[in-house]
Amino acid sequence: MSARPLLAGLRRLVLAAPAVWLLLFFLAPLALVLKIALSTPAIAQPPYEPRFDIADGLVVLWEKVQGLSFDTFALVISDELYLSAYLSSLRLAAIATLVTLCVAFPLAHAMTRAPRHWRSALILLAIAPFWTSFLIRIYAWIMLLKDEGLINKVLLTLGFISSPFHIFPSDGAVLIGIVYSYLPFMILPLYTALEKQDPALIEAAGDLGATPLSAFWCITVPLARPGIFAGLLLVFIPAVGEFVIPDLLGGSDTLMIGRTLWSEFFDNRDWPTASSVAILLLALLIAPIMIYERQQMKETAQ
Amino acid sequence: MKRGLSAVHLAVLAGGFAFLYVPIALVILYSFNSSRLVTVWGGFSTQWYMSLFANEQLLAAASISLRIALVAAALSTVLGTCAAFALQRFGRFRLRMMFAGSLYAPLVMPEVIIGLALLLLFVGLGIGRGFWTIVIGHTTLGLCFVTVVVRARLVGFDRTLEEAAQDLGASPAQTFRTITLPLIAPAMAAGFLLAFTISLDDFVIASFTSGPGSTTLPMRIYSQMRLGLTPEINAISTLLIGLVGVCLLFATSIIRFRAPSEAQ
């Protein structure tokens, strides 16, 4: 036996192992969500009907497919609660994403101007908070923003305010939480895009009579566009479906779709409705996810 | 000429990094607070660390979380490295777009969707939820991160080194062991640590895929947080930040010392 067939077999295994894993634990579960979203809510346990059984084979599966109902979807689409949860998630995520961009851009820009031997340390510092626990970072903001929290205490002591300002819990606190948590995701692509820019371009614009501001708008921003775009997607997509931040920092009136899905599932134990909410959330995000993926693949191909 | 740092840039850097780090620093500072009220400073004390080590529920959760993170990170590293090789070295194959798509999607997909989907799968197949179902969930997420890290390394890989080894008579296995593996090992180690911290940190997927007796540390912290702030949370947070900090320093030093070629 030569090594050739062995190598070919090994090669197949290298591809098959992750492929099978993803098929089993990513694609199949997503298909299952779609299927359960289309099944009728059952009152009895388990909370959905019909039950999926791999042993039934395709014929039975097809029979069940014919028995699917769009009732849950119709319910979710027509119910005002879900609609307003969708809209308010989109709104909050969009505002938070833009604020994140406004905070991250000057920071990333300043990082590219730092001396070269500082830069890798700065990059590390900028993304390190991403590694510290998500919950801890949210907890930190509860400590800061509470009525009797640290910010209020400082402001009261310094006499800037006479009574504590109330921001926790509210949509405003959720906004701060999203900006804070996702800032590293925005800084990194912005930095990568800005770092590639030749500073001679700005100098040339200046020599040709452009003010620093117009040079910024006409040269820096357009050249950073891929980075801006990647950062926007990287923040916006997960922020729309965020559960932890609205749950811990938001008020009882803070509606976000991730939270709705969670309570349908854990509190109401209504699995088909939770699945429908998940599918509609996915439908909303599939376009941005595809755009993000295309961009990623183009970048790696280069 | 104007490449240097101006005062404005310095102010932006200082402000930006203060925004990122002051909240975390305060969590650490107040873990040494002797007052039971989290935001009232009552003097230095380490009593909350003591009560932490007496809290058996929390310790049990921490041990489960660590074990899950180790297993999930190991699985993620193996699968993710395989996936990176398949994407970077195998050229075109059938369903490559779909393969790449399912590797990149979990990076941004809301965790509630992944969690719900996995739970429905486990219930549908009649698999009891617990340690291993959480491992599966975390591996699915972690392997995608490992793929990105290892693939980035393979993109900059000088393949003439492998060819040279084979010209000199090395077998494919020897080439892999002596050339390829040492060169991608730093990326694999970084990927492992990334997958490890992601698993240790995850709350949403673990909540969906855990069963009785497999409550993870973030789940425990979360339920304590819902009840209100306690200095104990500050203490456990500080320990976690310390652990992650050590991992991070370790990861960066591996990359820095093992990969001098990247300086070019």
Side-chain angles (χ1 to χ4, degrees), chain A residues 9-91:
Chain A
L10 206 65
R11 215 176 120 102
R12 209 164 294 150
L13 187 70
V14 164
L15 174 60
V20 168
W21 185 282
L22 288 170
L23 184 68
L24 265 179
F25 299 122
F26 183 65
L27 296 174
L30 284 183
L32 198 57
V33 177
L34 181 64
K35 191 200 148 287
I36 288 165
L38 293 172
S39 63
T40 21
I43 312 298
Q45 302 280 347
Y48 66 87
E49 186 68 33
R51 215 175 118 101
F52 176 75
D53 197 338
I54 229 161
D56 288 347
L58 286 174
V59 182
V60 182
L61 197 66
W62 177 242
E63 274 169 21
K64 284 180 178 170
V65 166
Q66 288 172 322
L68 297 177
S69 87
F70 286 86
D71 295 355
T72 331
F73 268 119
L75 179 85
V76 168
I77 291 168
S78 62
D79 194 316
E80 206 136 297
L81 173 78
Y82 299 113
L83 187 68
S84 52
Y86 274 111
L87 293 179
S88 95
S89 309
L90 287 177
R91 188 177 55 89

Side-chain angles (χ1 to χ4, degrees), chain B residues 54-67:
Chain B
N55 187 336
E56 273 173 29
Q57 277 190 328
L58 213 59
L59 290 179
S63 125
I64 289 175
S65 273
L66 282 174
R67 278 183 293 145

Side-chain angles (χ1 to χ4, degrees), chain A residues 152-171:
Chain A
N152 267 320
K153 212 166 266 174
V154 170
L155 292 179
L156 281 170
T157 320
L158 296 177
F160 286 129
I161 49 171
S162 53
S163 63
F165 75 96
H166 180 75
I167 187 167
F168 169 81
S170 75
D171 285 9

Side-chain angles (χ1 to χ4, degrees), chain B residues 41-261:
Chain B
W41 184 255
F44 181 86
S45 147
T46 51
Q47 60 168 313
W48 304 113
Y49 291 89
M50 297 301 142
S51 72
L52 207 61
F53 289 112
N55 187 336
E56 273 173 29
Q57 277 190 328
L58 213 59
L59 290 179
S63 125
I64 289 175
S65 273
L66 282 174
R67 278 183 293 145
I68 289 174
L70 276 176
V71 179
L75 279 171
S76 297
T77 308
V78 173
L79 291 168
T81 306
C82 286
F85 265 92
L87 279 182
Q88 200 56 39
R89 292 283 180 88
F90 287 9
R92 292 170 173 278
F93 50 87
R94 264 193 305 165
L95 298 175
R96 187 176 184 280
M97 279 303 278
M98 198 169 173
F99 182 63
S102 9
L103 279 167
Y104 282 105
L107 299 176
V108 283
M109 193 176 277
E111 286 179 321
V112 280
I113 297 181
I114 301 176
L116 177 72
L118 280 169
L119 175 108
L120 294 177
L121 177 82
F122 295 141
V123 172
L125 294 175
I127 299 171
R129 279 171 284 151
F131 183 88
W132 287 102
T133 49
I134 305 177
V135 167
I136 288 174
H138 287 175
T139 303
T140 305
L141 193 60
L143 87 91
C144 302
F145 281 89
V146 174
T147 305
V148 171
V149 176
V150 174
R151 195 180 175 198
R153 186 91 184 130
L154 284 175
V155 168
F157 193 98
D158 186 359
R159 294 202 68 177
T160 53
L161 291 171
E162 287 174 340
E163 285 161 21
Q166 299 206 322
D167 287 347
L168 294 170
S171 70
Q174 277 175 319
T175 311
F176 182 78
R177 199 158 36 85
T178 54
I179 306 287
T180 318
L181 200 57
L183 280 170
I184 60 164
M188 287 171 71
F192 177 90
L193 287 170
L194 187 55
F196 180 81
T197 46
I198 286 170
S199 167
L200 201 62
D201 186 29
D202 170 73
F203 163 70
V204 174
I205 293 177
S207 300
F208 277 101
T209 51
S210 83
S214 61
T215 305
T216 64
L217 189 59
M219 291 167 70
R220 201 49 85 198
I221 294 177
Y222 175 84
S223 59
Q224 281 208 0
M225 271 169 80
R226 300 233 51 186
L227 298 174
L229 310 185
T230 72
E232 250 183 40
I233 304 178
N234 289 60
I236 185 85
S237 301
T238 304
L239 292 179
L240 276 176
I241 292 169
L243 178 69
V244 168
V246 169
C247 285
L248 209 60
L249 277 177
F250 199 61
T252 50
S253 61
I254 292 175
I255 291 171
R256 198 160 295 166
F257 290 122
R258 293 295 299 273
S261 59

